[in-house]
Amino acid sequence: MAAASPDSGDLILVEPAKPGSPVAVVTINRPAALNALTRPMMISLAAAFRRLGADDGVAAVVLAGRGRAFCSGVDLTAAEEVFKGDVKDPAANPVAQMELCRKPVVGAVAGFAVTAGFEIALACDILVAGRSAMFLDTHAKFGIFPSWGLSQKLSRVIGPNRAREVSLSCMPVTAEMAERWGLVNHVVDDNQVLSKAIEVAEAIARNNHNLVVLYKSVINDGLLLDLEHARALEKERAHNYYNGMTKEQFANMQKFIQGRSSKAPSKL
């Protein structure tokens, strides 16, 4: 991947975790406004994930926010510009592009993830949160109808009763609650959030890149189905995968497995 890619006046940054790394770090860089999203930022963030998903040099993506917030939502001073007529536009929808991104996305949530920021966090495949992280849905408070999936995704992650209370009462979800409810994978000290997210992404990047992409896809696609049909989907894709392999590829697989067997497993 390129060394760095600034977008929307440097408000969305894309850079490798370190030189030559297959892990890309996307940073929402508007700390003075708690990383509130303007429409140009939304378009740039969506475009960043579209590019990274197509970049063969990228194996995993970390998404972070600079400063005291992960993302405080949409900039409501430009609410009409953001919402009216554009909620169905996938090119301007970072959540849609994150969901379409073939590479695993690790969210590094330090500080607030509010409303649209909460929805962006839910679009990540894995979440690392700082101890002071706070997830908050204020749609009901401000009369904003959800359109990036929060009303449907949250209940599937933490259960419908908890999701109703979180969304209808605007109850804050602390990092501790989020971990207990299965919303986040890891809770670490605030100053360790980004490094832990990169560590998780690097562990993913050490594996077979093609299989990681296919595995993410079958997990996420299977979640849209009941268990019986999801298992049938897995079998169908496994059949297609192995049928598409040549004898040389099978030999390379065996050679790789034999080479790895003498090495210690990666640790998080």
Side-chain angles (χ1 to χ4, degrees), residues 107-153:
V109 180
F112 295 100
V114 181
T115 312
F118 197 166
E119 292 177 299
I120 288 171
L122 283 170
C124 297
D125 298 296
I126 297 166
L127 285 175
V128 176
R131 299 194 191 283
S132 69
M134 190 80 69
F135 300 85
L136 184 62
D137 180 6
T138 63
H139 283 105
K141 182 182 292 291
F142 294 110
I144 302 167
F145 202 95
S147 60
W148 283 358
L150 204 155
S151 68
Q152 303 305 309
K153 287 183 179 179

Side-chain angles (χ1 to χ4, degrees), residues 243-262:
N243 270 4
M245 289 179 66
T246 64
K247 288 185 178 181
E248 182 182 5
Q249 286 173 318
F250 273 111
N252 288 338
M253 178 193 288
Q254 289 177 309
K255 189 183 299 183
F256 179 80
I257 292 169
Q258 288 167 356
R260 293 286 290 179
S261 64
S262 62

Side-chain angles (χ1 to χ4, degrees), residues 9-26:
D10 292 345
L11 297 178
I12 303 295
L13 304 176
V14 182
E15 54 196 342
K18 56 189 175 185
S21 173
V23 174
V25 179
V26 178

Side-chain angles (χ1 to χ4, degrees), residues 163-175:
R164 279 189 283 262
E165 183 175 9
V166 168
S167 294
L168 302 183
S169 74
C170 304
M171 178 182 78
V173 178
T174 64

Side-chain angles (χ1 to χ4, degrees), residues 26-260:
V26 178
T27 306
I28 304 172
N29 185 36
R30 198 185 176 206
L34 298 179
N35 296 322
L37 297 173
T38 62
R39 178 159 171 75
M41 289 173 67
M42 289 163 53
I43 293 170
S44 293
L45 186 58
F49 277 98
R50 194 159 53 246
R51 287 196 308 270
L52 294 170
D55 187 339
D56 291 336
V58 174
V61 182
V62 170
L63 175 61
R66 184 151 294 161
R68 296 188 297 115
F70 173 71
C71 174
S72 62
V74 168
D75 187 338
L76 295 181
T77 63
E80 185 173 0
E81 178 193 11
V82 170
F83 295 123
K84 198 167 184 179
D86 289 323
V87 294
K88 291 186 178 180
D89 180 6
N93 184 338
V95 167
Q97 296 305 321
M98 290 173 70
E99 291 170 343
L100 290 170
C101 183
R102 298 161 59 242
K103 315 302 169 56
V105 179
V106 183
V109 180
F112 295 100
V114 181
T115 312
F118 197 166
E119 292 177 299
I120 288 171
L122 283 170
C124 297
D125 298 296
I126 297 166
L127 285 175
V128 176
R131 299 194 191 283
S132 69
M134 190 80 69
F135 300 85
L136 184 62
D137 180 6
T138 63
H139 283 105
K141 182 182 292 291
F142 294 110
I144 302 167
F145 202 95
S147 60
W148 283 358
L150 204 155
S151 68
Q152 303 305 309
K153 287 183 179 179
L154 187 62
S155 62
R156 287 162 169 80
V157 176
I158 68 173
N161 286 0
R162 286 173 175 156
R164 279 189 283 262
E165 183 175 9
V166 168
S167 294
L168 302 183
S169 74
C170 304
M171 178 182 78
V173 178
T174 64
E176 180 186 356
M177 293 162 66
E179 184 180 38
R180 191 167 67 246
W181 293 351
L183 177 61
V184 305
N185 299 69
H186 304 278
V187 175
V188 297
D189 290 341
D190 290 349
N191 62 358
Q192 297 296 313
V193 174
L194 182 59
S195 60
K196 180 63 178 181
I198 291 173
E199 181 185 340
V200 172
E202 287 177 339
I204 292 169
R206 286 194 289 269
N207 294 324
N208 182 296
H209 293 184
N210 182 52
L211 201 284
V212 165
V213 166
L214 295 174
Y215 212 152
K216 168 180 168 171
S217 176
V218 77
I219 290 172
N220 289 356
D221 291 348
L223 286 170
L224 303 175
L225 307 171
D226 61 67
L227 182 59
E228 181 181 354
H229 288 94
R231 292 184 66 180
L233 175 71
E234 181 192 62
K235 280 194 175 295
E236 178 186 359
R237 292 193 184 177
H239 177 79
N240 293 340
Y241 177 75
Y242 290 119
N243 270 4
M245 289 179 66
T246 64
K247 288 185 178 181
E248 182 182 5
Q249 286 173 318
F250 273 111
N252 288 338
M253 178 193 288
Q254 289 177 309
K255 189 183 299 183
F256 179 80
I257 292 169
Q258 288 167 356
R260 293 286 290 179

